[in-house]
Amino acid sequence: MTDQALKTTPLNAAHRALGARMVGFGGYDMPVQYEGVLAEHRWTREHAGLFDVSHMGQCKITGEDAIAQFERFVPGDYAILKAGKQKYSLLLNQNGGIIDDLMAGKPDHDGLFVVVNAGNKDEDFAFWEANLEGDATLTVLDRALIAIQGPEAAEVMVKHDPVFADFGFMDCARLMIFGVDCYVSRSGYTGEDGYEISVPAADAERIWNLLLEDARVKPIGLGARDSLRLEAGLPLHGHDIDPTTSPVEGALTFALSKSRKERADFNGAERVLKELADGPARVRVGLSVKEGAPAREGAEIADADGNVIGKVTSGGPSPTLGRNIAMGYVPPAFAELGTDLKVIVRGKAAAAEVIAMPFVAQRYYRKPKA
């Protein structure tokens, strides 16, 4: 895609003013790094990183039938989701393949607020436009989205408004903050505690610069965002999961609500339930690559005898662990923790081992139970 064809977020000028290296991603001109991926990765793990994720798709689904219609295509139970909460889910096709993964919640009393991936948003919105029935309306929102992540993120946000201290992981709300109407959740894609803030596009640069005034906050590009999410064991759609992948294959069964499995009333339920009962043909696993170069996307995975059994879907160095890690798909017989495998990198076989994900412990903040 040429630079001329790339879309821009409301923060494009701010990134360029900060000297960001810009690349095309998801159809947008986005910052891949500012001072360097390694430094930005470590800063987010130790302090607070600020991410522009305005390329993501934001929408609302409203109306009397909004939740019932939404649930036709996702395996989560949103009817019982409490106000002020959100949850991760999967938009499934009729074959149980993952069209996209998403966040949907109830920040106000007006249906669902949904955030989807940048590269899939046009397809997602068209899917809902074509398939929502009854009193259910899709409204695409033209807003910016800013994420602040890291162990000091909460302290930074509380300085701006004490209300942020009351949030726990997966809480969400519609608030007047920074002088404007915002949707806020305590969540993120790095494995670190933090917040995602949907703001009016016209106010994005002012709020971005205001947050950067705090010495604990630095801008972080997509390069570190990717290495952070890899360490957190989080899949990237179009790479680790796609429309051929089921939730069972993708090791995302936590997104399948018990009540929905019992009702079997969502897209692809027949395949999903069969795989839960009988096992899938393949499953996503975590790998520690014990020698040689990093195993990147597309590298073959072999058993101990050298027989190719799968492929790597994401991989690279882990700055936190100081070694190479990867995710990929193998038959269930090779998915047990501790299984010795090989990865084929540049024509050479390197030792690898199936290990648990997340590779680095997630540090989301969960409020103590009363």
Side-chain angles (χ1 to χ4, degrees), residues 16 24 39 121 274:
R16 293 184 175 278
K121 64 183 180 182
K274 187 176 188 303

Side-chain angles (χ1 to χ4, degrees), residues 135-301:
D135 183 15
T137 301
L138 172 74
T139 303
V140 177
L141 304 176
D142 182 19
R143 298 173 66 87
L145 189 63
I146 297 170
I148 182 168
Q149 305 279 291
E152 295 179 340
E155 294 174 13
V156 172
M157 294 302 290
V158 168
K159 187 186 77 170
H160 290 283
D161 196 317
V163 71
F164 290 113
D166 297 330
F167 278 61
F169 182 54
M170 290 295 189
D171 284 353
C172 63
R174 187 174 185 176
L175 303 168
M176 284 295 295
I177 52 170
F178 304 112
V180 292
D181 177 31
C182 297
Y183 295 94
V184 183
S185 66
R186 194 163 187 173
S187 59
Y189 191 51
T190 61
E192 292 290 338
D193 181 30
Y195 303 81
E196 294 199 333
I197 315 151
S198 170
V199 305
D203 295 280
E205 189 167 345
R206 173 180 63 84
I207 294 168
W208 172 268
N209 289 330
L210 181 64
L211 290 168
L212 284 177
E213 288 177 5
D214 194 305
R216 295 169 289 190
V217 183
K218 285 188 177 183
I220 309 296
L222 293 178
R225 180 174 165 87
D226 191 56
S227 58
L228 289 159
R229 70 92 193 166
L230 175 59
E231 288 187 343
L234 300 174
L236 176 62
H237 194 275
H239 301 264
D240 307 296
I241 52 175
D242 62 33
T244 70
T245 315
S246 76
V248 183
E249 290 178 329
L252 298 170
T253 53
F254 68 89
L256 308 174
S257 296
K258 180 181 178 183
S259 60
R260 303 301 309 287
K261 289 186 288 185
E262 291 171 349
R263 297 202 299 270
D265 59 352
F266 55 89
N267 257 8
E270 182 178 357
R271 173 189 177 185
V272 170
L273 295 177
K274 187 176 188 303
E275 288 183 354
L276 284 172
D278 302 336
R282 56 177 182 159
V283 66
R284 181 171 64 98
V285 297
L287 297 171
S288 172
V289 180
K290 296 182 172 183
E291 58 187 359
R296 307 282 186 180
E297 180 178 1
E300 293 179 324
I301 303 171

